[in-house]
Amino acid sequence: MAVRIDHLALAAHDARESAQFLADILGLPDPYEAGPFLAVDVDETFTIDYAAPPIDFPGQHVAFLVGEDDFDVIHARLEHRGVTYWADPHQRWAGQYNTNDGGRGLYFDDPAGHHLEVITRRYGSDG
């Protein structure tokens, strides 16, 4: 049996806000309640579940592999909303995207402080 990630639980200060932000930016279906979580279906096999724990938490990193056309749409959504994005994970090159491995990629933070990334080519694929 192949091993795949089924779901990922992320903490958020406001689960609804973070879940809706992700759905809106990536063009995914609206979040829905799943027990104590607000779930966002990333695709037919992977869900991100947001919860608001009563503790402080560090931001996590999640990267999404998207098509070239989807990248353009996501980039436009970030621009339209005035969301700061960077070409690098160290947040030095604001308002730019990278062209690593012959693809494109950018990083941005969600309302809970998670560090999200969209890329059009897996790192190390080199063309």
Side-chain angles (χ1 to χ4, degrees):
M1 175 176 127
V3 176
R4 286 196 249 177
I5 294 176
D6 177 73
H7 66 277
L8 172 69
L10 291 178
H13 305 291
D14 181 326
R16 185 164 306 282
E17 176 186 36
S18 290
Q20 193 64 58
F21 175 84
L22 181 70
D24 290 348
I25 292 297
L26 296 184
L28 302 171
D30 283 337
Y32 59 92
E33 291 185 19
F37 301 99
L38 276 167
V40 178
D41 288 335
V42 176
D43 63 23
E44 61 280 348
T45 66
F46 180 58
T47 303
I48 295 182
D49 300 332
Y50 286 93
I55 59 169
D56 197 22
F57 53 87
Q60 302 296 307
H61 175 73
V62 182
F64 300 93
L65 181 63
V66 302
E68 290 288 340
D69 292 340
D70 294 321
F71 184 92
D72 290 333
V73 172
I74 292 165
H75 181 241
R77 287 183 186 126
L78 292 168
E79 289 273 344
H80 178 75
R81 286 177 161 232
V83 175
T84 301
Y85 60 90
W86 302 268
D88 66 305
H90 306 292
Q91 301 180 338
R92 292 178 291 206
W93 299 300
Q96 301 176 51
Y97 58 82
N98 68 60
T99 55
N100 298 340
D101 293 292
R104 293 184 290 166
L106 59 79
Y107 300 79
F108 59 100
D109 289 347
D110 81 351
H114 296 298
H115 313 294
L116 307 179
E117 176 183 10
V118 291
I119 55 175
T120 61
R121 183 161 294 186
R122 294 189 78 202
Y123 294 125
S125 64
D126 198 27

